[in-house]
Amino acid sequence: MNQPAETLDLHGTFHVYDTTLRDGMQQEGLNPTVADKLAIARQLDGLGVGYIEGGWPGANPKDTEFFRRAAQELDLRHARLAAFGATRRAGMKAADDPLIAALRDSGAGVVTLVAKSHAGHVEKALRTTLEENLAMVRDTVSHLRAEGQQVFLDAEHFFDGYRLDRSYALEVLRTAYDAGADVIALCDTNGGMLPGWVADVVHDVVQTTGVRVGIHCHNDTGCAVANTLAAVDAGATHVQGCINGYGERTGNADLVNVVANLELKLDRQVLPPGLLSEATRIAHAIAEVTNVPPASRQPYVGVSAFAHKAGLHASAIKVDPDLYQHMDPAGVGNDMRLLVSEMAGRASIELKGKELGFDLSEHPEVVTRVTSRVKELESQGYTFEAADASFELLLMEEAEGNRPSYFDVESWRVITETLTHAQPGEEAVSEATVKLTAAGVRYVVTGEGNGPVNALDQALRTAIVQAYPEIAKFELIDFKVRILDQGHGTDAITRVLIETSDGESSWVTVGVGANVIEASWEALVDGLTYGLLRHHVE
């Protein structure tokens, strides 16, 4: 029976165990600093997980340093810190193994040991006997328990080992449990299982051994979350996963998906009340630390998770948002988004206008004009679903009769120069000249950059900032180019998306032209115009 939310024990009858800082960091391209890992740990604690696996002290200097600093710098409100390690080496005592000593000295109250439960791995990878492997498990678990640490055991390659030699795989679990391990996590290390298979094995383990079972799934079949939920349904009371599904190969079970499904779909309270609504913010904050862009289509927390593009959907949402959403996005801290595109109908435009502060319900003629114009522009290569700022400028032009303008451009040009005898590594230099009038003053400004778009950006900003100092806060943070009719080669139509930030938020504008410079100029002008507009500049 689930405990009431107000008395939820994160370390009792059900565990949410995060392994982002250990298993998740094995993802290709992830190499966080100790400071990064400490920052991620604080975010995970804010989500309310019960355990945070910090790494493998003794195996590398970074993880050893993490545990040293964690003891001094982390003030965890919900989670307990777990140190990861392996059972002692063959032929020696756990008390004499320096890696076991590192676990003892880590300061972590919980140790998670990985142990071989696959007979083939014992003989081929460990190169020892099945009996010695059981002794290694027994000795290490009992030693750490005697030292006062709580012990969990990760039964590595368990499901594959179960298929090869069921009796031996189960004996490993019994040995660890009898020695004092509190939880035995069954690991689908190769990620090859399917939900029905996992459920059958977990049910057998629970019924046959009586051990407390956990589950650790990799996503190689795309079933890591489903396999985790199947294990819970079969009796597992400890779930492991990584934020954003990080992990080697195709990743681990996405822990947010697991807990969201448990709480919102299966009505099991597994996090402290109210903290699931922080999931989107935390998932994105951790993505910023790891420098891995959040997956837009990630369930629950992706920016597209509750985005609606089809006009039919928008018409229904206008009546009742639940008609095309499986839940209220606020439950995970996300928002519904309405995308404007050539697929948009009148309802999409009206709802998007309302979202942006324009009540178009009494102005059907404006809705008609905007709908027609969006479809016409998108047929030329524009995209407004990814460029809300450009759409808002378009909407203002149609609804209010004029497009916001803070400056009048007289002309612009850009040249790129490279020296005939330039040395290897020397960059070509671009120079742009912009002539415009802002706040009644004519400016002629030249800017240099490491490319033509950068030079144009520099020149445009230098001119406008004299009239509008707010421009100094703006920064171009992303630049995307798409060739729309590739068969035309170098004379193809080009679309550019530019993301601009003021240090607090960001916005995206779009430009389309016969070349990348022309398209970039349009997106740059819109980006600065929209920035001034949102800063309420007169």
Side-chain angles (χ1 to χ4, degrees):
M1 180 178 294
N2 296 325
Q3 292 177 290
E6 61 272 12
T7 60
L8 186 66
D9 182 359
L10 300 176
H11 315 106
T13 58
F14 195 92
H15 297 165
V16 175
Y17 182 105
D18 183 274
T19 181
T20 301
L21 297 180
R22 200 273 306 174
D23 213 3
M25 294 302 109
Q26 295 185 101
Q27 177 168 311
E28 185 177 5
L30 290 189
N31 187 28
T33 64
V34 173
D36 290 338
K37 294 185 66 167
L38 291 167
I40 292 171
R42 294 185 185 97
Q43 294 288 354
L44 294 170
D45 186 55
L47 184 61
V49 301
Y51 296 89
I52 297 172
E53 189 173 80
W56 191 332
N60 62 77
K62 183 190 295 182
D63 283 0
T64 302
E65 176 69 5
F66 168 81
F67 281 95
R68 186 191 69 78
R69 288 182 57 181
Q72 301 170 353
E73 301 176 30
L74 285 185
D75 182 19
L76 301 178
R77 295 174 298 154
H78 305 291
R80 292 178 181 171
L81 199 60
F84 180 85
T87 54
R88 66 151 171 89
R89 286 171 285 186
M92 69 185 309
K93 294 181 179 180
D96 299 330
D97 191 322
L99 285 177
I100 302 302
L103 295 174
R104 289 196 311 266
D105 298 339
S106 66
V110 182
V111 172
T112 298
L113 293 170
V114 62
K116 299 293 186 184
S117 57
H118 186 301
H121 275 262
V122 172
E123 295 173 335
K124 296 177 182 178
L126 287 183
R127 297 183 181 181
T128 190
T129 65
L130 300 183
E131 293 75 16
E132 174 63 6
N133 181 57
L134 293 176
M136 292 159 61
V137 170
R138 184 183 304 109
D139 183 22
T140 310
V141 172
S142 60
H143 173 72
L144 291 173
R145 289 289 291 135
E147 293 293 321
Q149 290 174 295
Q150 186 179 21
V151 178
F152 299 155
L153 188 99
D154 280 358
E156 189 184 34
H157 294 283
F158 178 79
F159 292 92
D160 297 317
Y162 177 96
R163 287 179 165 181
L164 175 70
D165 188 338
R166 173 181 176 275
S167 63
Y168 184 75
L170 295 180
E171 186 61 26
V172 173
L173 307 189
R174 292 191 189 95
T175 299
Y177 205 61
D178 290 345
D182 290 325
V183 175
I184 312 296
L186 310 182
C187 301
D188 182 19
T189 309
N190 288 345
M193 294 294 107
L194 297 178
W197 302 348
V198 169
D200 289 344
V201 174
V202 171
H203 180 76
D204 182 35
V205 170
V206 171
Q207 294 298 313
T208 304
T209 66
V211 306
R212 180 173 179 182
V213 172
I215 185 69
H216 176 109
C217 294
H218 285 255
N219 201 38
D220 297 74
T221 61
C223 293
V225 172
N227 287 344
T228 302
L229 297 175
V232 171
D233 191 52
T237 59
H238 167 111
V239 294
Q240 296 190 8
C242 296
I243 201 79
N244 296 326
Y246 295 150
E248 62 182 340
R249 305 188 311 276
T250 58
N252 290 49
D254 188 320
L255 200 64
V256 168
N257 291 349
V258 170
V259 297
N261 284 325
L262 287 171
E263 290 207 357
L264 301 174
K265 304 301 181 181
L266 300 176
D267 199 26
R268 298 181 62 129
Q269 189 76 42
V270 297
L271 297 179
L275 292 190
L276 184 58
S277 64
E278 296 291 314
T280 299
R281 178 189 64 79
I282 288 171
H284 290 191
I286 292 175
E288 287 295 321
V289 177
T290 60
N291 201 30
V292 176
S296 61
R297 298 174 65 194
Q298 188 175 350
Y300 288 107
V301 300
V303 295
S304 297
F306 300 95
H308 304 277
K309 182 173 179 178
L312 178 63
H313 289 206
S315 297
I317 286 171
K318 186 177 177 182
V319 178
D320 182 354
D322 291 341
L323 291 175
Y324 274 97
Q325 292 185 159
H326 70 99
M327 59 163 288
D328 182 351
V332 289
N334 209 339
D335 295 307
M336 181 180 74
R337 294 172 58 235
L338 290 165
L339 307 179
V340 176
S341 74
E342 79 283 353
M343 297 176 65
R346 296 176 60 86
S348 295
I349 299 299
E350 188 175 331
L351 286 170
K352 187 64 178 178
K354 185 176 182 181
E355 182 183 309
L356 296 173
F358 295 88
D359 185 359
L360 303 179
S361 58
E362 302 298 323
H363 303 282
E365 74 286 353
V366 175
V367 175
T368 299
R369 290 201 307 269
V370 173
T371 303
S372 298
R373 192 169 171 194
V374 165
K375 292 184 177 184
E376 172 61 25
L377 287 171
E378 293 224 345
S379 72
Q380 299 172 21
Y382 288 82
T383 178
F384 293 102
E385 65 180 86
D388 275 2
S390 288
F391 174 74
E392 187 168 347
L393 293 174
L394 182 154
L395 183 61
M396 292 182 69
E397 183 178 354
E398 294 295 339
E400 300 178 353
N402 64 290
R403 190 180 186 87
S405 177
Y406 293 90
F407 49 90
D408 294 316
V409 178
E410 182 180 327
S411 67
W412 60 269
R413 69 179 180 181
V414 61
I415 59 174
T416 299
E417 178 183 32
T418 183
L419 300 176
T420 304
H421 302 293
Q423 297 299 311
E426 288 187 4
E427 296 180 347
V429 177
S430 293
E431 180 183 287
T433 301
V434 173
K435 299 178 183 179
L436 58 80
T437 299
V441 179
R442 183 174 183 266
Y443 298 97
V444 179
V445 175
T446 298
E448 287 187 341
N450 57 11
V453 177
N454 182 231
L456 275 173
D457 185 39
Q458 294 297 325
L460 184 57
R461 289 167 183 276
T462 302
I464 302 173
V465 75
Q466 300 176 63
Y468 305 109
E470 292 84 358
I471 290 288
K473 302 177 183 178
F474 302 168
E475 180 183 4
L476 193 157
I477 61 174
D478 199 9
F479 179 81
K480 296 184 177 73
V481 179
R482 175 78 182 273
I483 304 301
L484 299 179
D485 45 356
Q486 298 178 11
H488 282 250
T490 56
D491 67 342
I493 296 297
T494 303
R495 178 169 68 217
V496 168
L497 290 170
I498 285 178
E499 185 173 6
T500 308
S501 172
D502 59 5
E504 297 178 0
S505 59
S506 64
W507 54 94
V508 179
T509 50
V510 61
V512 172
N515 59 70
V516 67
I517 310 302
E518 182 183 348
S520 299
W521 173 260
E522 182 181 10
L524 283 170
V525 169
D526 273 6
L528 297 181
T529 299
Y530 184 81
L532 291 170
L533 182 68
R534 71 185 294 156
H535 278 258
H536 308 292
V537 175
E538 293 294 331

